[in-house]
Amino acid sequence: NAGVTQTPKFQVLKTGQSMTLQCAQDMNHEYMSWYRQDPGMGLRLIHYSVGAGITDQGEVPNGYNVSRSTTEDFPLRLLSAAPSQTSVYFCASSYSGAGRGAEYEQYFGPGTRLTVT
Amino acid sequence: AQKVTQAQTEISVVEKEDVTLDCVYETRDTTYYLFWYKQPPSGELVFLIRRNSFDEQNEISGRYSWNFQKSTSSFNFTITASQVVDSAVYFCALSEAGYSTLTFGKGTMLLVSP
């Protein structure tokens, strides 16, 4: 199993550009999430999904879109990049078991470091 | 709303010292899960432990131990005989039952010098 994979590892964007951060998992996990990590702020939840076709907003969703058309993939789209979106982005997935959520371990991808100039 | 507080921003110790990282949480749920993750300088997140709210037994894994006290809403992490390889940022996190997502503390950077 490759686990949770994220591409690209690094990206530099200019203000106003759009791009998609890719996240894929091969563990057949129902739950997937996106977090951003900023210095001194810990990790904050952007969007999450409890299954294909179902997504919801987290703590800091503005400026980001997600969709979940398959169980395996959960891309994060930046519509018009801003310097405030400079961050490290982590994707995570977990098994849902009997629907009890975080009873199970969250598997994190290696992260994408994004710089917006 | 749930909240996790890691009051120690940075801790510096000398190798072989014991060190405790504090974590205080807030939640209204009676069923919840607590986690610790390690983030070494390479940047990946490494899962260390998960504890559910009904299990207050302390846990020991090698040089690592965790003390869970519901009475004080704390889930502290102790490294015994610290080593340089323990240098990392450590995050405490919380999730309420039925949710698949985590609320993280801001992290504690641990620097272990030789």
Side-chain angles (χ1 to χ4, degrees):
Chain A
N1 281 357
V4 180
T5 57
Q6 291 184 238
T7 55
K9 285 195 163 92
F10 302 94
Q11 182 71 49
V12 178
L13 289 178
K14 288 188 164 59
T15 298
Q17 287 185 317
S18 63
M19 80 158 294
T20 300
L21 307 185
Q22 301 291 345
C23 174
Q25 51 90 10
D26 60 359
M27 297 172 281
N28 204 30
H29 286 167
E30 291 89 343
Y31 294 161
M32 295 186 75
S33 311
W34 277 102
Y35 298 84
R36 60 177 287 173
Q37 182 181 11
D38 302 296
M41 296 297 294
L43 280 80
R44 293 180 292 168
L45 181 66
I46 306 172
H47 285 286
Y48 65 99
S49 169
V50 299
I54 306 170
T55 63
D56 207 345
Q57 296 181 351
E59 180 186 353
V60 288
N62 292 343
Y64 307 96
N65 266 1
V66 292
S67 60
R68 183 104 179 264
S69 55
T70 67
T71 299
E72 296 77 19
D73 301 298
F74 191 42
L76 178 72
R77 279 180 282 277
L78 280 69
L79 309 171
S80 177
S84 60
Q85 293 178 304
T86 294
S87 189
V88 179
Y89 291 85
F90 287 97
C91 179
S93 75
S94 68
Y95 178 52
S96 67
R100 285 179 284 178
E103 178 176 21
Y104 299 93
E105 178 185 342
Q106 297 254 342
Y107 291 79
F108 281 87
T112 293
R113 185 174 294 274
L114 175 69
T115 302
V116 183
T117 62
Chain B
Q2 47 189 337
K3 185 179 177 183
V4 176
T5 301
Q6 294 181 257
Q8 303 150 310
T9 305
E10 186 172 320
I11 301 175
S12 292
V13 299
V14 177
E15 222 173 5
K16 297 185 184 173
E17 283 185 26
D18 299 347
V19 58
T20 294
L21 309 182
D22 297 332
C23 173
V24 174
Y25 62 91
E26 295 175 31
T27 177
R28 293 181 186 156
D29 266 16
T30 55
T31 302
Y32 51 89
Y33 303 89
L34 295 163
F35 300 75
W36 275 95
Y37 284 86
K38 173 183 179 180
Q39 186 176 45
S42 51
E44 74 272 23
L45 286 161
V46 178
F47 168 80
L48 294 177
I49 190 171
R50 175 184 61 251
R51 172 68 73 222
N52 75 55
S53 54
F54 297 109
D55 183 1
E56 284 193 77
Q57 273 193 329
N58 291 332
E59 177 147 346
I60 298 175
S61 176
R63 296 184 297 107
Y64 295 171
S65 63
W66 290 269
N67 180 263
F68 176 29
Q69 291 198 336
K70 285 176 78 168
S71 59
T72 55
S73 297
S74 65
F75 187 44
N76 296 337
F77 173 33
T78 297
I79 301 174
T80 303
S82 59
Q83 299 176 1
V84 172
V85 294
D86 295 326
S87 295
V89 179
Y90 291 86
F91 291 101
C92 181
L94 164 73
S95 187
E96 293 171 343
Y99 288 88
S100 63
T101 59
L102 300 171
T103 297
F104 283 85
K106 294 184 178 181
T108 297
M109 178 178 287
L110 174 65
L111 300 171
V112 183
S113 53

